[in-house]
Amino acid sequence: MAYRPAHRMRRLAPMAGSISVVGLAIEMVIIVGAAILGETSHFNVSSPFHTFLWSVMAFSIVVVWRMTLIVGTALFRNPLGDPARTLAIRSGVVIAIVGMGLAFLMTTPIAQ
């Protein structure tokens, strides 16, 4: 059997989706847990525990971004049907990856 990249991506995409679900679930548990306790979830480094939670959130969202990039690559490498659908799906993937990437700029320290 010849090696087919499309076949590999077909197996990789569901795995990437499942990993994304786990990463997003971790995010939601921390965010909802902080809200229940009346704490902030984002940018909260008021104690070592909060700093740890912030780091876990940062790690999990990087994993989600990378999995989105993998799925996006699969969508660019495989035929998607008619041209309008292909343009819509691929444009949506680019917008999602760029938008998620821009969110990383929020974590850059500034003078204020």
Side-chain angles (χ1 to χ4, degrees), residues 26-42:
I26 291 168
E27 286 274 315
M28 292 307 299
V29 165
I30 294 172
I31 292 169
V32 170
I36 289 170
L37 296 173
E39 299 279 340
T40 59
S41 57
H42 290 69

Side-chain angles (χ1 to χ4, degrees), residues 87-108:
L87 177 64
I89 291 172
R90 290 179 178 168
S91 298
V93 167
V94 169
I95 291 168
I97 290 171
V98 170
M100 290 173 71
L102 288 173
F104 290 120
L105 296 175
M106 290 189 308
T107 62
T108 306

Side-chain angles (χ1 to χ4, degrees), residues 75-76 78-93:
L75 290 171
F76 269 86
N78 292 307
L80 300 173
D82 67 272
R85 179 180 8 185
T86 299
L87 177 64
I89 291 172
R90 290 179 178 168
S91 298
V93 167

